[in-house]
């Protein structure tokens, strides 16, 4: 199969493209012939920070396609079925092998490119808001990095749940693109003080929940924007700088900090039910996710560089 891989951590330049052996099909394996690959934030962070598992480590969390083959113990899928699949690595390839519990049926009338970008973006946002964030109607939620995939998903899900959505993005033009999706208050983080604006919006109280999708130096302002006893969801980082929380900082604010790793729950019946609903919502148009740009898999270096430096609106995808 054609695939992208790397053997050492670094920037997009460490990525290589060429031929690798096809994945093995074990008893519980679903082997997917990939049609679309969604580039996730974790794909970039792992390339930079997580030591590769082999000399030909194939990156990538998520892809959609048609089942090529299944293992002897697989009961939910057969060759020819349309699926979107998750894996801790391996999606940047023509063939993607995952355990059966990491494969999800795609509705018959759904575009496969859209299917490829649903699980991580919408599932992560849903868990951060509701399963672990406890968001209620009428509460203020601050989405840091609202123009990215998880951010756009969070804005839509929070708005339809009756929350008051504050989002940050780089510039009024990007904020204007988010407003039709449910953004009530937009903050241009390049020119506005996030904490001051949030205090103004909330009448001095602070927001109830922060979703931090960007990481980096902005963390301190987000903590200031949070009310006492507020909730802070650590989801991702858009740059190489990874912030940390001071011990007494947590105590003084009496804040609750939760790390969100949707992948750790994606094998569970709860998440399978959730993703079925989310896939149907996207298929029907009730939820949307823009695709900023398409690349070929052979352009993997350019694709990763674009995601890292160009702040895409929504998702970036590749096709083998």
């Amino acid at each position: 199969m054609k695939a992208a891989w790397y053997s050492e951590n670094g920037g997009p330049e460490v990525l290589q493209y060429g031929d690798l052996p096809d994945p093995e099909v074990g008893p519980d394996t679903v082997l997917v012939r990939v049609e679309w690959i969604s580039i996730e934030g974790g794909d970039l962070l792992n390339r930079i920070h997580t030591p590769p598992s082999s000399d030909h480590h194939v990156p990538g969390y998520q892809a959609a396609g048609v089942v090529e083959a299944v293992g002897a113990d697989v009961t939910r899928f057969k060759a020819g079925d349309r699926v979107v699949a998750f894996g801790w690595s391996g999606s940047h390839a023509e063939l993607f092998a995952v355990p059966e519990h990491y494969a999800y049926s795609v509705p018959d009338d759904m575009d496969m490119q859209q299917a490829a970008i649903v699980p991580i973006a919408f599932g992560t946002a849903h868990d951060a808001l509701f399963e672990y964030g406890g968001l209620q109607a009428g509460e203020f939620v601050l989405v840091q990095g609202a123009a990215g995939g998880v951010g756009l998903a969070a804005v839509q899900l929070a708005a339809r749940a009756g929350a008051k959505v504050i989002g940050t993005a780089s510039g009024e033009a990007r904020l204007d693109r988010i407003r039709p999706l449910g953004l009530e208050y937009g903050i241009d983080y390049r020119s506005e003080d996030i904490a001051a604006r949030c205090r103004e919006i909330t009448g001095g109280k602070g927001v109830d929940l922060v979703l931090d999708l960007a990481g980096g130096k902005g963390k301190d302002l987000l903590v200031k924007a949070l009310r006492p006893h507020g909730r802070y969801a650590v989801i991702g980082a858009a740059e190489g700088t990874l912030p940390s929380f001071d011990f007494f900082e947590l105590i003084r604010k009496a804040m609750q900090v939760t790390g969100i790793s949707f992948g750790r729950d994606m094998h569970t019946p709860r998440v399978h039910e959730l993703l079925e609903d989310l896939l149907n919502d996207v298929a029907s148009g009730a939820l949307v996710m823009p695709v900023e740009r398409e690349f070929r898999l052979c352009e993997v270096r350019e694709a990763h560089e674009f995601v890292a430096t160009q702040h895409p609106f929504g998702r970036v995808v590749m096709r083998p």
Side-chain angles (χ1 to χ4, degrees), residues 147-307:
V150 179
L152 291 172
V155 167
Q156 295 173 75
L157 293 171
R160 76 175 187 178
K164 300 174 183 179
V165 185
I166 308 169
T168 73
S170 57
E172 281 298 321
R174 286 168 73 84
L175 291 168
D176 285 343
R177 294 179 68 185
I178 307 170
R179 287 188 173 95
L181 302 180
L183 182 69
E184 193 167 349
Y185 305 95
I187 300 174
D188 180 355
Y189 66 79
R190 298 183 306 181
S191 61
E192 297 182 271
D193 184 311
I194 294 172
R197 283 284 288 124
C198 285
R199 288 195 296 270
E200 176 186 336
I201 292 166
T202 62
K205 296 179 180 178
V207 302
D208 301 284
L209 174 64
V210 167
L211 269 56
D212 189 354
L213 300 155
K217 300 175 183 178
K219 185 270 297 183
D220 292 342
L221 286 175
L222 301 185
V223 172
K224 289 181 181 179
L226 191 66
R227 67 166 173 81
H229 295 285
R231 291 104 63 196
Y232 193 117
V234 179
I235 301 169
E239 56 183 89
T241 304
L242 302 178
S244 60
F245 292 88
D246 180 80
F247 186 81
F248 289 106
E249 176 182 39
L250 301 176
I251 295 173
R252 283 193 297 268
K253 198 82 175 189
M255 60 192 289
Q256 303 171 41
V257 178
T258 303
I260 304 297
S261 178
F262 186 62
R264 292 188 175 275
D265 289 355
M266 288 181 73
H267 64 288
T268 64
R270 173 186 74 83
V271 166
H272 276 256
E273 292 179 12
L274 171 62
L275 291 181
E276 181 179 358
D277 290 341
L278 291 171
L279 284 161
N280 283 322
D281 282 346
V282 174
S284 71
L287 297 169
V288 300
M289 181 58 65
V291 172
E292 176 80 0
R293 190 165 166 185
E294 302 171 8
F295 289 87
R296 302 294 300 190
L297 180 57
C298 61
E299 301 171 310
V300 62
R301 290 183 179 178
E302 293 88 342
H304 272 231
E305 180 71 23
F306 182 83
V307 174

